[in-house]
Amino acid sequence: MSASAVDVLVVGAGVMGCATALELARRGLGVCVLERSVPGAEASSAAAGMLGAQAEAHGPGPLLDLSLASRARMAEWASRLHEVTGIDVEYRRSGILRVAHDGPQLAGLRARVAWQQAAGLDATELDGAEARAREPALADTVVGAAHFASDGRIDPPRSLAALRIAAARLGARFQSGALVRRIAVE
C-alpha cells in the first residue's frame, strides 16, 4: 500500500485498533495502523478476556444494549477470525459469577439480578454454598453470588493476534515505532 492509498489512519494497534483496521480493510479502505510500541503492548496485554455484558452492567440503557448486541455476535465473529487466520480465540460462553463477601455487596448483587430478570435477561442469585458448588475455589467468606450464564470469555493474546493477522491479510499496514503527537483536523 502506497502512502497515497491510505484512506484511514488508525492510532493504536490494540484490540480496538486492530478490530477497526480489520473492518475498514474488509470494506475495501486503505488502512495504516500507527503504533508507538508493538501491537497489543499496552492495555490489550493486560486484559483478562472477560466478556461481561451483564456482569459489568450497572443498569439498563444504551451501553447495556450495545454490550448485549456485541455479545450476541461474538460466536460468529470468533468463527470468522478462525476461518481467516486459523487462530482459535477460545471464545466460550462460560458464564460469569460476581461474588459478595458481606451484606451490602449481596444487596447490590440482588438488585442487579432483579433488574436484569425484569428486563428478561438470564441472571440468577446464588447463596454462598451454591456459588461454591459452581466454583469450588471460592473462599468460605463468599455469602452469595450472581450468575450471568450468557456472559463469557476469550483469550486476549490469541484474539489480538487473530485481529492483527486478519487485518494485515486484508491489506491493512502496521507501522510500529510511530509516535502520534497531535491530530490536525482540517
Side-chain angles (χ1 to χ4, degrees), residues 24-92:
L24 292 170
R26 187 186 71 75
R27 293 178 183 209
L29 294 168
V31 180
C32 181
V33 182
L34 304 175
E35 171 57 49
R36 69 178 170 174
S37 182
V38 295
E42 303 294 331
S44 294
S45 65
M50 185 173 85
L51 303 173
Q54 287 178 249
E56 295 292 312
H58 297 290
L63 182 58
L64 174 63
D65 295 343
L66 177 61
S67 297
L68 293 172
S70 297
R71 184 182 71 191
R73 294 177 150 176
M74 185 53 79
E76 176 189 344
W77 181 78
S79 178
R80 279 193 296 138
L81 281 176
H82 187 261
E83 288 173 16
V84 172
T85 66
I87 298 172
D88 177 7
V89 300
E90 298 183 2
Y91 166 67
R92 305 292 183 266

Side-chain angles (χ1 to χ4, degrees), residues 94-105:
S94 54
I96 292 178
L97 282 176
R98 285 194 70 125
V99 301
H101 293 275
D102 59 33
Q105 288 178 347

